[in-house]
Amino acid sequence: MLQCTAVTLLPPDAVLRLTAPGADCPEDPEPYVLCELGEHDDQRTEHAAYLRPGRTPDSPALWFFWTGNGTERTHRAEPAPWCPALLRRIDSRLVQRCALFDHHTAAHSWDVTDPLGDLLADRLVPGDSPEG
Ligand SMILES: [Zn+2]
Ligand SMILES: [Zn+2]
């Protein structure tokens, strides 16, 4: 399943909250967020983007949910508990947790293909540096 391609601009208050003093990451957050769900019906299902982690890895993380575009958009930013689904890989014995929130629609995160994310990840892999 391909990832939903919806992108939206974060409202100023959400950006402010992410840059609040004491935030772990001092860099300016991207003012745009990308829906992380698998392709879904955007009339009936909200788009969802991960904003920031909770206090512990198991705490509910902050998500941005929205429907519609431009002036038609409705949105909310609120904590959501994690999806409890686990993927057990027989070959490597690794257990992967779903990276989405509980009761999300569409596929679990491991079944969602993110061509853009793969592209970005490829770029982050260090290649041959000029310094050797
Ligand atoms: Zn979406
Ligand atoms: Zn899931």
Side-chain angles (χ1 to χ4, degrees):
M1 173 178 272
L2 288 177
Q3 185 169 334
C4 174
T5 53
V7 175
T8 198
L9 188 63
L10 281 176
D13 60 320
V15 176
L16 269 181
R17 214 173 311 158
L18 289 172
T19 50
D24 291 338
C25 179
E27 292 162 40
D28 288 344
E30 289 289 329
Y32 289 92
V33 288
L34 180 67
C35 179
E36 299 185 30
L37 297 174
E39 284 180 307
H40 62 91
D41 178 348
D42 63 3
Q43 302 298 314
R44 287 186 300 177
T45 305
E46 290 173 303
H47 299 293
Y50 173 78
L51 287 183
R52 64 183 298 169
R55 292 203 301 166
T56 74
D58 290 327
S59 301
L62 187 63
W63 288 78
F64 186 78
F65 299 95
W66 79 97
T67 50
N69 276 311
T71 54
E72 302 286 299
R73 189 181 74 171
T74 58
H75 65 84
R76 60 198 170 94
E78 54 186 56
W82 291 102
C83 174
L86 298 174
L87 177 67
R88 294 175 196 280
R89 294 185 182 275
I90 308 293
D91 51 347
S92 60
R93 294 191 183 181
L94 287 176
V95 178
Q96 191 177 351
R97 297 176 68 161
C98 178
L100 297 171
F101 54 92
D102 203 4
H103 300 301
H104 63 82
T105 56
H108 293 300
S109 60
W110 49 77
D111 281 332
V112 180
T113 309
D114 176 6
L116 182 64
D118 290 347
L119 203 70
L120 294 175
D122 281 349
R123 285 209 204 155
L124 292 175
V125 173
D128 294 328
S129 77
E131 285 87 19

